[in-house]
Amino acid sequence: MHRKVSGYDAPVCVLTSQAAQALSAVQKAIAAGGLTLVVFDCYRPARAVSDMGDWTKTSGPPDPQWYPKVKRKDLIAKGYIGELSTHSRGSTVDVAITRADRKSAPKPACGATDADTLDFGTGFDCFDPTSETAHRPIASEAAANRKKLVEAMRAGGFKNYAREWWHFTLENEPFPRERFNFPVTAE
């Protein structure tokens, strides 16, 4: 969006205790292999979801970094931005994996380019069909890294959203019908 989103007042990850404990278990499991999780987003206030939805209704061409082939007005219809987000329930997390020694991978053409993650074929938040977890063709290393992430998260009790290789929701989330709206703050 190239601006602050409503409801995000601090760079803090808020999760239900169940999701936090499950994510901690995933971290411990992959750490044994010299890897670590990179967390991009956790709980998202309902007001942030509304702000994103309103933003998609404003005019704007495709953005080569974030949504290179999709018009902004189509981001909801194509499933890249939700009118209701699982993030607002507090048990969804956007993650990737990196090496514990943080050796940098090549930077992707689409999505976030500031995290030293393994190669996943695209960056986080690349709203493009190439970000679908099972998208083919994709480089073998990126496909293997997506599989590694999905398997690690599944072992921790999370299910993947097939349109985004980075998006996972706790399967037995405690608030499956809630939408919270408190802001993300440092307190």
Side-chain angles (χ1 to χ4, degrees):
M1 292 176 57
H2 299 286
R3 65 169 174 79
K4 181 181 172 289
V5 179
S6 178
Y8 282 101
D9 299 329
V12 176
C13 175
V14 176
L15 289 172
T16 62
S17 60
Q18 296 89 334
Q21 290 169 2
L23 193 63
S24 177
V26 173
Q27 171 60 33
K28 287 176 186 163
I30 68 169
L35 301 172
T36 189
L37 291 173
V38 175
V39 178
F40 297 109
D41 199 9
C42 298
Y43 160 75
R44 181 178 303 151
R47 69 186 84 184
V49 175
S50 293
D51 189 14
M52 291 175 184
D54 290 345
W55 172 80
T56 66
K57 295 172 187 159
T58 62
S59 64
D63 181 316
Q65 182 176 356
W66 303 104
Y67 45 102
K69 299 174 190 161
V70 181
K71 293 179 181 170
R72 184 187 302 178
K73 68 179 181 69
D74 295 332
L75 290 172
I76 290 176
K78 300 235 181 224
Y80 296 114
I81 294 178
E83 289 183 284
L84 297 174
S85 174
T86 58
H87 283 279
S88 297
R89 300 191 308 242
S91 291
T92 295
V93 62
D94 293 337
V95 297
I97 298 173
T98 190
R99 289 175 191 83
D101 61 12
R102 300 280 184 156
K103 289 183 182 173
S104 183
K107 298 301 181 193
C110 177
T113 59
D114 59 345
D116 294 330
T117 65
L118 300 181
D119 179 8
F120 288 94
T122 71
F124 157 72
D125 262 0
C126 174
F127 299 143
D128 186 81
T130 57
S131 292
E132 294 174 3
T133 307
H135 179 81
R136 299 294 181 265
I138 191 170
S140 60
E141 181 181 355
N145 289 334
R146 288 181 185 191
K147 182 179 178 186
K148 183 183 302 188
L149 177 62
V150 168
E151 288 175 352
M153 294 297 285
R154 184 180 300 132
F158 290 88
K159 60 186 172 194
N160 176 245
Y161 173 55
R163 287 215 177 238
E164 301 173 346
W165 60 259
W166 58 83
H167 182 110
F168 297 87
T169 300
L170 187 65
E171 286 195 55
N172 294 315
E173 61 181 306
F175 304 105
R177 290 177 177 68
E178 290 288 334
R179 297 279 185 260
F180 297 107
N181 196 25
F182 60 87
V184 176
T185 64
E187 297 174 17

